[in-house]
């Protein structure tokens, strides 16, 4: 009976260690790429992580606003223009873009009506 209790205690410790490592890895992956706004320090020139790809629709009001308010990220966005909103949302869902910059109300509508959508709006 004593050995059974020792074995149960060892199993419980290993299970706790495994669960803690799994949770730490999952949280670390999700918080690293999450952007809080366009003022995020990872988007500042010279410090930007290469895996963060931003995109928007060419010659749109969002493109004009970003060019005026955030000139340091314009050259990165120019490499990632999309044709329309649906293409931008699908690019984020497929991992081509890290973030699609567009009108908040439109993006919130799309996120709320997409089935199984894991997208989030920020800003």
């Amino acid at each position: 009976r004593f050995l059974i209790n020792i074995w149960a205690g060892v199993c419980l410790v290993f299970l706790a260690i495994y669960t803690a490592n799994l949770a730490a890895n999952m949280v670390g992956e999700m918080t690293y790429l999450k952007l809080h706004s366009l003022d995020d320090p990872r988007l500042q020139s010279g410090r930007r992580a290469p895996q963060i790809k931003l995109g928007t629709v060419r010659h749109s009001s969002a493109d004009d606003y970003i060019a005026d308010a955030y000139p340091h990220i314009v050259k990165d966005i120019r490499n990632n223009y999309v044709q329309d909103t649906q293409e931008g949302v699908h690019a984020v869902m497929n991992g081509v873009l890290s973030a699609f910059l567009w009108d908040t109300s439109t993006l919130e509508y799309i996120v709320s009506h997409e089935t199984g959508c894991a997208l989030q709006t920020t800003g």
Side-chain angles (χ1 to χ4, degrees), residues 6-55:
I6 295 294
W7 182 248
V10 168
C11 289
L12 186 63
V13 168
F14 279 113
L15 182 64
I17 290 171
Y18 173 76
T19 305
N21 283 333
L22 181 64
N25 286 334
M26 290 173 64
V27 168
E29 289 174 8
M30 286 190 276
T31 57
Y32 177 71
L33 290 178
K34 185 174 181 181
L35 297 174
H36 299 288
S37 72
L38 289 176
D39 294 318
D40 195 299
R42 292 174 289 167
L43 296 177
Q44 304 302 319
S45 60
R47 301 170 65 190
R48 198 168 84 73
Q51 67 269 23
I52 298 176
K53 294 181 180 178
L54 304 174

Side-chain angles (χ1 to χ4, degrees), residues 39-122:
D39 294 318
D40 195 299
R42 292 174 289 167
L43 296 177
Q44 304 302 319
S45 60
R47 301 170 65 190
R48 198 168 84 73
Q51 67 269 23
I52 298 176
K53 294 181 180 178
L54 304 174
T56 192
V57 177
R58 182 187 304 263
H59 303 301
S60 63
S61 60
D63 188 30
D64 293 338
Y65 172 74
I66 293 164
D68 291 339
Y70 301 96
H72 59 278
I73 62 174
V74 170
K75 67 178 182 174
D76 299 322
I77 292 176
R78 286 186 181 146
N79 299 328
N80 300 309
Y81 281 129
V82 295
Q83 296 299 318
D84 57 16
T85 307
Q86 286 297 331
E87 183 183 344
V89 170
H90 287 296
V92 173
M93 291 174 71
N94 295 330
V96 176
L97 293 177
S98 302
F100 176 63
L101 308 174
W102 198 245
D103 181 52
T104 303
S105 58
T106 304
L107 291 177
E108 286 177 354
Y109 177 82
I110 292 171
V111 167
S112 68
H113 286 80
E114 283 285 328
T115 306
C117 185
L119 299 178
Q120 295 179 347
T121 56
T122 302

